[in-house]
Amino acid sequence: MPQEQAYAGLRVLDMSQGVAGPYCATLLALQGADVVKVEPPGGDWIRVMGGGEAGMTPLAVASNLGKRALCIDARQPAGRAAIERLAARADVLVENFRPGVMARLGLDAATLCARHPALVYLSISGFGASGPWVDKPGTDSVLQAYTGLAMLNREPDGRPRRIGMLVPDTVSALYATQALGAALYARSRTGRGRHVQVSLAECCAAFQAAPIYESALFAGRQAPPTAVPSGVFRTQDGFVTLLVLRQDMWERLCTALGRDAWRSDPDYADNHARGRNAAALNAAIAEQLAGQPSAHWIATLEAADVLCAEVQDYAQFRNHPQMQHMGTFGALAQPPYQTLPMPYLPGTPRGGPIPPAPATGQHTRALLAELGYAADEVAALERHGIAVQG
């Protein structure tokens, strides 16, 4: 008999937009929760960010898998009343508006948690609920710059460089989901919910705990290298990465490369010595690796038990025998597209279909009916532009 999903029966009201909040709610949906995504009549702004059709951009799809969608205008009293009905039956509410927006709608944590003491209310902000930057917009590029991520990923000449995916939003979704799980566990003992607050800034800080600690520990001086040699090296037909973590691995690398003389060279005696001479050492390895194809070096380095991998693109990653064996990717039948690959959520069953993301307002009428609205009431909401059926 299949094992019941961990969050089966959990009701989640997702009022968030963008990525951090929606992806957090999707992680709950992919573990069995009934997640209702609420969008304004114009739709979640992420639906126009990047290429795609009918509002189904890659970010909108990946951040909203497995949800049902209600499109309603919370600024109107009749629309707000519908959301209040949803909140009354919800276990979790997720929002990521700037501080103060939900209070102006009368849907803030203080109001709703007072009415529904078991509600776990999650607020995700850019920079926290108070302070000099409380109203500053927190986008990915802003957070990467502000929290040191761009500096950590800097070019060899020192120029900061943004990492090419939405790291602050994604890691914030993961930390927020963990915090929600902890709050739900506490509720199982006490029966009471709580207001959980996380910010993209603090999530980026937690995510970078080790390098932030290192920068303080070695302030004003060069931190010792973690591993030398290490890096991405060009081969005849591509790139490979290799790194040496221990002295015995260094000695095996020397043998694999036919560089036994390096083993007795005082410039390379240990990791600290190699760190002082990293530029020359990495340059020598780069010159040698450029003379053979990637497959040759992967076979050579793996035989010597040296950490290495070929640098792959996403298609190579998806089609690699290890990923095929693990069943990491499933087939997502996502309208309006053909079936495309999507990774399963780690720790969940493999092999079944991945639930698609909804279109804006795709389930509006059905959800309003569940909330007790009669057909003529739904029609009136639609006629006045308060509710939209996708």
Side-chain angles (χ1 to χ4, degrees):
M1 175 180 293
Q3 190 176 47
E4 185 179 59
Q5 291 182 288
Y7 287 127
L10 189 76
R11 288 181 166 177
V12 179
L13 172 54
D14 177 18
M15 295 194 64
S16 62
Q17 297 188 41
V19 173
Y23 187 51
C24 169
T26 275
L27 296 178
L28 303 179
L30 293 176
Q31 296 179 84
D34 177 11
V35 180
V36 174
K37 179 178 179 65
V38 175
E39 298 178 68
D44 184 338
W45 58 263
I46 203 66
R47 293 187 181 276
V48 298
M49 299 296 292
E53 301 174 28
M56 305 309 294
T57 64
L59 285 171
V61 170
S63 301
N64 291 288
L65 298 172
K67 302 177 186 179
R68 296 189 290 166
L70 171 68
C71 186
I72 201 154
D73 191 349
R75 297 169 301 178
Q76 303 297 324
R80 193 156 54 249
I83 293 173
E84 288 171 352
R85 291 195 200 185
L86 280 169
R89 67 176 196 171
D91 298 291
V92 173
L93 185 149
V94 179
E95 64 91 8
N96 64 348
F97 297 103
R98 292 193 206 181
V101 171
M102 293 295 278
R104 291 194 291 273
L105 295 173
L107 299 170
D108 54 298
T111 300
L112 293 182
C113 290
R115 294 178 190 167
H116 314 294
L119 178 66
V120 176
Y121 191 112
L122 170 67
S123 296
I124 302 176
S125 63
F127 300 95
S130 61
W133 272 20
V134 65
D135 292 321
K136 185 176 178 66
T139 63
D140 171 82
S141 295
V142 169
L143 266 297
Q144 288 207 32
Y146 175 69
T147 64
L149 270 167
M151 187 61 73
L152 186 69
N153 192 46
R154 61 186 176 272
E155 302 277 5
D157 65 2
R159 181 181 177 84
R161 179 176 61 179
R162 176 186 170 274
I163 298 171
M165 66 167 289
L166 303 185
V167 175
D169 287 278
T170 304
V171 300
S172 295
L174 296 175
Y175 282 118
T177 305
Q178 182 276 329
L180 275 180
L184 288 167
Y185 180 73
R187 191 184 75 163
S188 72
R189 302 195 314 274
T190 66
R192 296 191 64 83
R194 62 182 62 183
H195 185 197
V196 178
Q197 301 182 73
V198 301
S199 69
L200 273 66
E202 67 185 320
C203 289
C204 288
F207 181 62
Q208 299 177 92
I212 288 173
Y213 182 81
E214 179 184 72
S215 71
L217 182 64
F218 297 102
R221 55 197 172 103
Q222 182 68 39
T226 302
V228 179
S230 66
V232 176
F233 299 90
R234 184 182 292 276
T235 67
Q236 266 187 356
D237 60 354
F239 295 88
V240 298
T241 185
L242 73 84
L243 70 157
V244 170
L245 291 182
R246 301 182 307 274
Q247 189 65 16
D248 60 321
M249 188 179 294
W250 160 249
E251 293 174 358
R252 294 195 302 273
L253 174 66
C254 293
T255 299
L257 297 179
R259 301 276 195 158
D260 287 321
W262 282 354
R263 298 173 67 171
S264 57
D265 189 328
D267 285 343
Y268 304 149
D270 56 27
N271 196 59
H272 288 287
R274 293 192 293 275
R276 291 193 298 270
N277 298 283
L281 178 56
N282 284 328
I285 291 175
E287 182 179 5
Q288 184 168 355
L289 266 57
Q292 296 285 348
S294 295
H296 168 83
W297 291 120
I298 295 299
T300 300
L301 295 170
E302 286 182 343
D305 197 19
V306 173
L307 290 167
C308 64
E310 183 176 4
V311 177
Q312 302 185 133
D313 61 23
Y314 285 147
Q316 292 171 309
F317 176 47
R318 291 195 307 266
N319 295 321
H320 191 275
Q322 182 63 28
M323 294 299 99
Q324 295 291 313
H325 169 77
M326 292 177 64
T328 301
F329 294 90
L332 173 61
Q334 176 65 63
Y337 311 115
Q338 60 181 322
T339 299
L340 293 170
M342 176 68 72
Y344 287 106
L345 181 66
T348 61
R350 312 289 173 88
I354 296 176
T360 304
Q362 182 175 336
H363 307 96
T364 293
R365 291 170 187 161
L367 284 164
L368 289 174
E370 283 184 22
L371 294 172
Y373 285 85
D376 60 334
E377 293 177 300
V378 174
L381 291 172
E382 290 188 56
R383 189 166 56 251
H384 291 95
I386 297 171
V388 179
Q389 172 67 40

